[in-house]
Amino acid sequence: MKKLLREHFEKIIALTDSEFDYIYDHFVFKKIIKHQFLIQQGDRVHNEYFVVKGCLKSYMIDSDDKAHILQFALPDWWVSDYQALNNGSPSTLYLDSVDGAEILSITMENKDKLCAEMHKVEHFFRKKTNWGYVALQQRILSLLNSNAKDRYEQLLKQYPALFKTVPKQLLASYLGVTRETLSRLYTPAK
Amino acid sequence: MKKLLREHFEKIIALTDSEFDYIYDHFVFKKIIKHQFLIQQGDRVHNEYFVVKGCLKSYMIDSDDKAHILQFALPDWWVSDYQALNNGSPSTLYLDSVDGAEILSITMENKDKLCAEMHKVEHFFRKKTNWGYVALQQRILSLLNSNAKDRYEQLLKQYPALFKTVPKQLLASYLGVTRETLSRLYTPAK
DNA sequence: AAAATAATTTGATATAGATCACATATATTT
DNA sequence: AAATATATGTGATCTATATCAAATTATTTT
């Protein structure tokens, strides 16, 4: 998993062995089991997580106790409650795994430290966040202009890996439909 | 408007006069009139825009000729088609002003150059994008968990400035409802 | 200030998707 | 392998929002 993280950085910046080792020392490896929370609503958030294995999900629970999934995080992705992380406010989200996972965790202090010490690490994260920003814009547009069926098909096309791991009711929650409606989408005959 | 940009940077990083002048030299000032496009679907995109005055809107037109507004950009905000900008692909968006505007435009080459030359400028943009990312996450959650009325009220609360400038049909398009439905929301009596 | 254009409101009706209530699979745990 | 828990599917009905069609009301332009 050291290799996975290194390759991840090296998609954007070049690193010597010692540079990467230095970066890597700021991370902590962790295995989490099913139903183990990395973040719960109300928590103070200090860490960002890089997924090595498995699949995490971040979600909110609304006033009707319905869950809404903000993000799935597969290997090679970053996840946290960025709002809580950025301004030190209590988390509004839950973060746990779909089915157990392995992660590399870094504190925001360490991330900022690495960014300050190594210009190219700051560059890496600027580019990363920028791509993340574009991905969120795409998701907003698909919520605005597509119906449930089209959104499901777009998701299936873009992230086929999700369909191996993730129960359909969670996909429904990510897409913004009920599980009943999702179930009816792929039995279109009538 | 030089002042506005400087204050904008100095919310996150400190700059000497000469540093700021150097940065500022990479921008081009532009006035745009109503109905003048900064980006049209199919264009190659080379610039990012900082709004000085007025209000810009970025939007897509779907296959039924309906517009969906991705973003409003008020003074002190950045806007472009970031997907097209990042990977050199043709734009899928339109970008124009609600009612005339003044902007500072910077090419992506110049932005990258400034980021490479000045670590703190890279830091500035990392932080900026990070906040933008959080704002988009909030918007996704509000699309997933709120009905049209609540989304309208959240918007009204968060960006009261929009209601002075922007016709309600454009707000409807941003919120993901029709103008007819929006019109009925604030006449709730029945 | 008339004329033209753009924005908003209102009514009647249609529809995608939600909700509620079970039935049926499919996994997990004992 | 039972027993329990979890996930999925189906029917009947309800509801928020869309759609289509006009009528008003504002805002520009001549």
Side-chain angles (χ1 to χ4, degrees):
Chain A
M1 89 244 146
K2 207 170 160 176
K3 193 166 163 257
L4 183 67
L5 186 67
R6 179 158 187 176
E7 283 168 359
H8 181 69
F9 274 96
E10 299 220 278
K11 273 172 209 150
I12 296 177
I13 56 172
L15 292 169
T16 65
D17 288 357
S18 69
E19 280 173 337
F20 177 70
D21 287 344
Y22 181 72
I23 291 170
Y24 187 72
D25 281 346
H26 292 80
F27 285 84
V28 176
F29 179 75
K30 213 183 263 189
K31 264 179 206 261
I32 59 165
I33 59 169
K34 201 174 177 174
H35 296 135
Q36 182 181 348
F37 287 104
L38 288 168
I39 299 173
Q40 281 182 272
Q41 198 213 93
D43 286 355
R44 299 290 161 168
V45 178
H46 304 286
N47 294 285
E48 186 173 357
Y49 304 99
F50 175 79
V51 181
V52 173
K53 200 176 161 184
C55 177
L56 303 187
K57 60 185 205 286
S58 71
Y59 54 100
M60 66 166 287
I61 307 279
D62 72 15
S63 48
D64 299 328
D65 292 317
K66 269 180 245 156
H68 302 278
I69 294 185
L70 178 58
Q71 186 188 350
F72 290 114
L74 292 166
D76 220 38
W77 291 44
W78 298 84
V79 64
S80 186
D81 179 344
Y82 291 99
Q83 183 171 54
L85 196 62
N86 281 344
N87 59 24
S89 56
S91 180
T92 56
L93 301 178
Y94 295 85
L95 175 62
D96 64 10
S97 68
V98 172
D99 206 0
E102 294 177 13
I103 57 177
L104 287 165
S105 125
I106 185 170
T107 62
M108 202 195 49
E109 288 71 38
N110 273 333
K111 183 182 172 183
D112 282 345
K113 174 172 164 276
L114 285 176
C115 283
E117 289 171 348
M118 301 171 73
H119 187 165
K120 61 185 169 185
V121 170
E122 185 120 53
H123 178 74
F124 169 82
F125 282 111
R126 176 171 74 92
K127 288 289 170 185
K128 261 286 133 200
T129 309
N130 209 246
W131 280 110
Y133 186 85
V134 169
L136 293 186
Q137 286 194 329
Q138 291 310 110
R139 182 158 170 219
I140 286 169
L141 286 176
S142 96
L143 285 167
L144 292 180
N145 88 95
S146 299
N147 62 23
K149 191 179 186 187
D150 291 346
R151 294 205 300 280
Y152 181 73
E153 280 161 14
Q154 286 166 36
L155 185 67
L156 196 139
K157 205 171 185 176
Q158 204 176 0
Y159 305 111
L162 287 177
F163 295 80
K164 291 166 193 155
T165 345
V166 180
K168 295 214 176 63
Q169 59 177 311
L170 295 182
L171 298 180
S173 164
Y174 177 90
L175 291 169
V177 287
T178 59
R179 66 193 166 76
E180 293 94 331
T181 295
L182 184 64
S183 168
R184 289 174 174 119
L185 291 180
Y186 45 89
T187 321
K190 182 172 279 189
Chain B
M1 88 246 148
K2 206 169 162 178
K3 193 165 163 256
L4 183 67
L5 186 68
R6 179 157 188 177
E7 283 168 359
H8 181 69
F9 273 97
E10 298 220 280
K11 274 172 208 150
I12 297 178
I13 55 172
L15 292 170
T16 65
D17 288 357
S18 70
E19 280 173 336
F20 177 69
D21 287 343
Y22 181 72
I23 291 171
Y24 187 71
D25 281 345
H26 291 80
F27 285 84
V28 175
F29 178 76
K30 211 182 264 187
K31 265 179 205 263
I32 59 166
I33 59 169
K34 202 174 177 174
H35 297 135
Q36 181 181 348
F37 286 105
L38 288 168
I39 298 174
Q40 281 182 273
Q41 199 211 94
D43 286 355
R44 298 290 160 168
V45 178
H46 303 287
N47 295 283
E48 187 173 355
Y49 304 99
F50 175 79
V51 181
V52 174
K53 199 176 162 185
C55 178
L56 303 187
K57 61 186 204 285
S58 72
Y59 54 101
M60 66 166 287
I61 307 279
D62 71 15
S63 48
D64 299 328
D65 291 318
K66 269 179 246 156
H68 303 278
I69 294 185
L70 178 58
Q71 187 189 349
F72 290 113
L74 291 165
D76 221 38
W77 292 44
W78 298 84
V79 64
S80 185
D81 179 343
Y82 291 100
Q83 183 171 55
L85 196 61
N86 282 343
N87 59 26
S89 55
S91 180
T92 56
L93 300 178
Y94 294 86
L95 175 62
D96 64 10
S97 68
V98 171
D99 206 359
E102 294 178 13
I103 56 176
L104 286 165
S105 124
I106 185 170
T107 64
M108 202 194 51
E109 288 71 38
N110 274 334
K111 183 182 172 184
D112 282 345
K113 173 173 166 274
L114 286 176
C115 283
E117 289 171 348
M118 302 171 73
H119 187 164
K120 61 184 167 185
V121 171
E122 185 120 53
H123 178 73
F124 169 83
F125 282 112
R126 177 171 75 91
K127 288 288 170 185
K128 260 287 133 199
T129 309
N130 209 245
W131 281 110
Y133 186 85
V134 169
L136 294 186
Q137 287 194 329
Q138 291 309 112
R139 182 157 170 218
I140 286 169
L141 286 176
S142 96
L143 285 167
L144 293 180
N145 88 94
S146 299
N147 61 24
K149 191 178 185 188
D150 291 347
R151 294 204 301 281
Y152 181 72
E153 279 161 14
Q154 285 165 36
L155 185 67
L156 195 139
K157 205 169 184 177
Q158 205 175 0
Y159 305 113
L162 287 176
F163 295 80
K164 290 167 194 154
T165 343
V166 180
K168 295 214 176 61
Q169 61 177 311
L170 295 182
L171 297 180
S173 164
Y174 177 90
L175 291 169
V177 287
T178 60
R179 68 197 159 78
E180 292 94 333
T181 294
L182 184 64
S183 168
R184 288 173 174 120
L185 292 180
Y186 46 91
T187 321
K190 183 170 276 189

